[in-house]
Amino acid sequence: MENSGSIFDRALIALDHIDRRIIYLFVLFSLTIPLVKGIKLDPAPFETANSFFETIATFDKSKGKIALIASDWGPNTKAENQAQMEVAIEHLMREKIPFALTSLSVFSKPFLEKIPNKIANRLNEEGGPYTWKYGVDWVNIGYRPNGSIMIQSLAKSKDLKKFWIADAKSTPLKNIKMLEDVRTIKDIGLLLEFTGSVGAFDAWVEYFSVDGYKPKFLHGCTSITIPEARTYMASGQLDGLHEGLAGSAYYEKLLSNSYPDREIGQAWKMNTGLAFAQAIIICFILLGNTRIILNSISNLIGNSLKIFTTDND
Amino acid sequence: MTETKTSKFITISLFGALILMSLLSLGYFSSQPISRQLKGWEIFIGGIATLAIYSFLVKENPVYRFFEHLYIGIATGITVVLGFKTFLWPKFFKPLLGFSVQTFPDGSIYQPYNNYILLYLLPMCLGLLYYCILTKRYAWLAQIAIGFSLGASGGLAFKGFFNQVIPQLVDSFKSFHISFADLSSISLYPFKLPAPVFQAFSNFVFMTVLLSSFFYFFFTFKREEGGVVERFSTTGRWMMMGCFGAFFGTTIMARMSLLVERIQFFIDEWVPTVFSGVIS
């Protein structure tokens, strides 16, 4: 029965019984080929990423003002959060904005060390007149337990150096040059928070402020939490947003426009692979729905013909 | 029968490939300096674990199940160790036992022993009351600890709620007023709208979605079938369906991002590391 009919009919029947593993293979190849070939499609523009970029570019660089990066992610959201944090750190470094890194997630510890070092090495290799150094351009405060209670205490602290005491390598913060003039939360001009956890993000929104002062807030979220993060953007609680991998790919483009000599990072390439895979998924969705619609039409025609022939009889 | 044979074949092939690659890599890594050996093994095991977990997409198999159990075991173990290492030890036992009396490399003491630290024992005893829940006779003691936690969390949540939700609530009151002071225009291909008109329209859509979604959850009075309220709440349901669709779309995007990162790892790290061992 299945072998009868035109090639078109047989193709439709084959489509009905397509093995899910064939679809997986299509997705796998569509993701892999752009990465291997190094294909780069232009990323879609994001208003939220533009705001993120503008906020860093217009940061008040007066003495004693720093940015604080809360890296509340681990290997489970590395795919999106790492790319976001890399481009943001690169921008901070290029703008020569000193920053401190901390985390509410213990699994983020290795990234607090690795990412700024990697970016600083890359920038230093570009051979410009400026050399980025630990302690001058950034400091790694490390993992701090106790979540929201820690954030509250940090916000209320009268002396951040006494609160943090030492960096991740137990170097006393009084010996860190970039923190010389840093005293309270009011010296933190910018908070950048990267996470896939809505809870961690909420904790910073809820508790990182004191009466009459709240630093500018930038956020990097995973794709799943975009709809929730957008609410904060609309209400003005956020000054900029990185939306998943696509957001960081567009940020790479913004950075490349401002610094044409920079090397293109991973986010742009990975986003191209993502675009190909999503195109394949959309094709399969359309194909599946077309098949269902065609089936319904042919059933409808078949039923009408049956009624017609029965009436004639 | 054929199905079982195929399953066995897949399992044996996977295990065979795993053992062969392990042997080849073992030979190569052992000739490297210790830091490179460790890095090599880290990358190698990471790749094998990824392949094993993804093998579920082909078919459920013992290799997948082994790595799944391995993952659960490691995750449980690491949580216990990290809980002690990153919280109990540095925040409680270390200062209490006097190990935090440390000198910096420059010779200064940053934290001398403070007798008030002994007060930590009080909240610790309170926390330990949680374990009374395991006995029938003293389970009531756990209520004290639970009550304390609930009170503290409630107080924290109260402050957090205001900081988090009030700005969103205030932002929900959007104006439909069209002010022509702003003469810029927004392009909505093929149309071009004056910015204030677009803003007013955008606010109208926002308020419709917000109110209709509210109405869907309004169960305090009987709705007439086919009535205005009923229709408005149905609109809200459709709006929420659209929202769920957006959530589902972003979920797919996140899952694909995870896959693309793993593929990137294979291309950039795993294949060069493992095949350098195989080739050499």
Side-chain angles (χ1 to χ4, degrees), chain A:
Chain A
M1 181 68 188
E2 287 197 4
N3 289 329
S4 61
S6 67
I7 296 172
F8 181 68
D9 286 340
R10 274 183 276 164
L12 286 181
I13 290 163
L15 201 62
D16 272 346
H17 301 102
I18 191 164
D19 192 327
R20 67 191 154 78
R21 284 169 289 201
I22 294 172
I23 300 173
Y24 296 154
L25 271 181
F26 269 100
V27 173
L28 182 71
F29 284 129
S30 61
L31 273 175
T32 314
I33 291 166
L35 291 176
V36 174
K37 290 270 177 196
I39 303 168
K40 287 194 291 287
L41 290 181
D42 226 12
F46 285 88
E47 265 312 307
T48 50
N50 282 330
S51 311
F52 198 114
F53 192 89
E54 274 306 305
T55 308
I56 293 183
T58 55
F59 181 78
D60 168 24
K61 292 176 206 164
S62 56
K63 206 179 175 196
K65 287 270 178 191
I66 63 162
L68 177 67
I69 297 181
S71 164
D72 306 325
W73 53 278
N76 53 341
T77 55
K78 182 175 172 251
E80 294 177 282
N81 289 138
Q82 182 172 348
Q84 293 168 346
M85 202 161 110
E86 280 185 7
V87 287
I89 286 182
E90 183 184 338
H91 196 193
L92 287 172
M93 283 186 170
R94 285 188 188 277
E95 292 286 341
K96 300 187 183 64
I97 299 169
F99 59 92
L101 294 121
T102 187
S103 175
L104 300 178
S105 161
V106 69
F107 296 106
S108 195
K109 270 169 91 175
F111 303 108
L112 295 177
E113 177 80 25
K114 200 171 108 181
I115 295 175
N117 275 324
K118 185 176 130 185
I119 307 290
N121 289 340
R122 185 151 62 82
L123 296 185
N124 288 335
E125 277 168 19
E126 280 181 8
Y130 189 82
T131 308
W132 282 267
K133 280 186 204 143
Y134 180 81
V136 178
D137 298 292
W138 82 95
V139 61
N140 176 11
I141 304 297
Y143 160 68
R144 299 284 153 156
N146 286 356
S148 50
I149 295 171
M150 190 283 288
I151 298 172
Q152 280 210 70
S153 313
L154 180 68
K156 287 177 184 167
S157 171
K158 297 269 184 284
D159 189 343
L160 291 176
K161 278 176 281 191
K162 276 190 185 158
F163 178 80
W164 280 325
I165 300 171
D167 73 355
K169 286 178 183 168
S170 298
T171 311
L173 293 182
K174 61 177 183 180
N175 296 349
I176 302 279
K177 199 186 162 196
M178 61 164 266
L179 297 176
E180 266 171 10
D181 299 306
V182 176
R183 294 275 175 275
T184 63
I185 185 179
K186 290 182 181 172
D187 296 314
I188 298 173
L190 185 61
L191 170 69
L192 298 99
E193 206 269 345
F194 300 94
T195 190
S197 150
V198 177
F201 167 65
D202 284 350
W204 287 101
V205 174
E206 290 168 12
Y207 304 116
F208 198 64
S209 59
V210 283
D211 292 336
Y213 182 75
K214 197 180 158 200
K216 287 196 170 185
F217 195 170
L218 303 175
H219 176 45
C221 64
T222 53
S223 304
I224 294 182
T225 55
I226 291 172
E228 278 166 283
R230 279 238 171 206
T231 319
Y232 292 87
M233 192 72 203
S235 63
Q237 287 162 293
L238 284 178
D239 297 284
L241 181 65
H242 263 311
E243 298 179 45
L245 196 57
S248 26
Y250 177 63
Y251 207 82
E252 283 235 27
K253 192 187 168 189
L254 292 176
L255 278 177
S256 297
N257 289 345
S258 297
Y259 307 97
D261 296 335
R262 76 178 283 275
E263 185 190 325
I264 302 280
Q266 294 294 339
W268 200 332
K269 290 180 207 165
M270 282 160 76
N271 187 53
T272 307
L274 202 63
F276 273 83
Q278 281 172 341
I280 287 286
I281 291 171
I282 291 168
C283 284
F284 273 110
I285 290 171
L286 289 177
L287 216 59
N289 280 286
T290 313
R291 172 66 187 133
I292 290 167
I293 292 164
L294 284 176
N295 225 0
S296 309
I297 292 170
S298 82
N299 282 345
L300 204 70
I301 294 168
N303 287 342
S304 312
L305 281 174
K306 219 183 269 176
I307 294 163
F308 179 72
T309 42
T310 323
D311 284 352
N312 277 353
D313 287 342

Side-chain angles (χ1 to χ4, degrees), chain B residues 117-145:
Chain B
I117 283 170
L118 290 169
L119 288 173
Y120 278 16
L121 288 169
L122 288 175
M124 193 194 187
C125 291
L126 185 69
L128 284 173
L129 291 180
Y130 261 116
Y131 290 96
C132 291
I133 210 159
L134 299 172
T135 68
K136 264 189 183 173
R137 197 172 170 189
Y138 298 108
W140 63 274
L141 282 170
Q143 301 294 327
I144 300 171

Side-chain angles (χ1 to χ4, degrees), chain B residues 83-84 86-100 113 117-125 128:
Chain B
F84 185 80
T86 61
F87 183 72
L88 278 177
W89 176 249
K91 295 281 168 193
F92 185 76
F93 289 112
K94 204 174 160 186
L96 198 71
L97 300 173
F99 288 109
S100 63
Y113 192 82
I117 283 170
L118 290 169
L119 288 173
Y120 278 16
L121 288 169
L122 288 175
M124 193 194 187
C125 291
L128 284 173

